[in-house]
Amino acid sequence: MEELSNEEIKKRLLKKSPKAKLETRGKIISFSCIALIVLVVIAIFFFVASKGLATFFTDGVNPLSFLFGTTWNPSAVDSNGHPLVGALPMITGSFMVTFLAAIVATPFAIGAAIFMTEISPKIGKKFLQPVIELLVGIPSVVYGFIGLSVVVPTIRRFFGGTGFGILAGTFVLFVMILPTVTTMTTDALKAVPRHYREASLALGSTRWQMIYKVVLRSAIPGILTAVVFGMARAFGEALAIQMVIGNAPVMPTSLTTPSATLTSILTMGIGNTIMGTMENNVLWSLALLLLLMSLIFNIIIRFIGKKGAMKG
């Protein structure tokens, strides 16, 4: 009887409780979801890469000619019989509107974030935050229509030309990325410990000295992350920028001449080509460039985040 009771005790001790079984199921479901996400991401990369690399391996296009060529006309060839698929005008246009929009948006975002966190948190939370959340929810096509109806005619009136170009795209993207950069900058400022502010004021700093020399400097990694995140958002924007930039695949000579970005050429041409043709493959190559740039932006964000964590 004693041996049986001991065995029974062992079985009960080794038997999983209902909570342990529930935890195991939860882990299985979580790992399954993570594995599914990883597989989807890998499948997307593989699909886009297989289509994009076909330009170089199947159609025989020189990668250097593709990246640094300045003439975009996939249906034509040069005197040597090589297709005219130089993507440099679109790459240049994408980087110009992205960097200019980030340069314009950053001071406004930092100013709004300082107002909401340091100067008047109550007013900021009551009025500014709802406005910013409203801007985030506006569809891209609405921004494009506003740019087409307001920004382009204004630029045409003051600077001449058609009004389409890098400058119009910069203003539209500036408004589009401002809520994102402002929200993330506000979170970065709120993350600065309160005792930093109290110690600075206790040492005799004025309010503005405390904000500039303590709060902003402590939040630099978070602010940089916000700016890079906004740039990633701007670089991948398609519809709104297509409506105001002019969609001319030529090297931009000024901010007010029609230009093009990777996304604008993609959205215009992808529905007008046949799958498997060289004209279609080069568009997939542009998509591959966009995907790689998105990956680079994510790597930069993670690098800044790690640097900030190490500094903290």
Side-chain angles (χ1 to χ4, degrees), residues 142-166:
V142 176
Y143 283 112
F145 274 122
I146 293 173
L148 196 61
S149 305
V150 179
V151 177
V152 171
T154 303
I155 293 175
R156 186 187 302 127
R157 178 181 301 174
F158 287 98
F159 298 97
T162 62
F164 296 94
I166 300 291

Side-chain angles (χ1 to χ4, degrees), residues 47-48 50-52 54 59 269-284:
F47 179 78
V48 176
S50 64
K51 295 290 185 182
D59 300 315
I270 198 67
N272 301 319
T273 57
I274 300 172
M275 187 71 73
T277 61
M278 195 271 295
E279 289 82 0
N280 184 264
N281 289 339
V282 291
L283 293 177
W284 281 107

Side-chain angles (χ1 to χ4, degrees), residues 231-301:
M231 290 173 63
R233 169 83 170 85
F235 198 88
E237 178 54 41
L239 187 57
I241 196 71
Q242 178 193 343
M243 298 173 71
V244 299
I245 200 168
N247 304 307
V250 294
M251 286 297 293
T253 56
S254 71
L255 297 179
T256 56
T257 56
S259 185
T261 62
L262 294 170
T263 52
S264 67
I265 295 299
L266 262 172
T267 52
M268 285 183 59
I270 198 67
N272 301 319
T273 57
I274 300 172
M275 187 71 73
T277 61
M278 195 271 295
E279 289 82 0
N280 184 264
N281 289 339
V282 291
L283 293 177
W284 281 107
S285 298
L286 297 182
L288 180 59
L289 280 177
L290 281 171
L291 196 60
L292 292 175
M293 281 307 306
S294 175
L295 180 61
I296 291 172
F297 279 124
N298 285 325
I299 291 173
I300 294 173
I301 290 171

Side-chain angles (χ1 to χ4, degrees), residues 34-50 288 291:
I34 293 171
L36 179 61
I37 293 172
V38 172
L39 287 175
V40 169
V41 173
I42 292 174
I44 292 173
F45 267 93
F46 178 77
F47 179 78
V48 176
S50 64
L288 180 59
L291 196 60

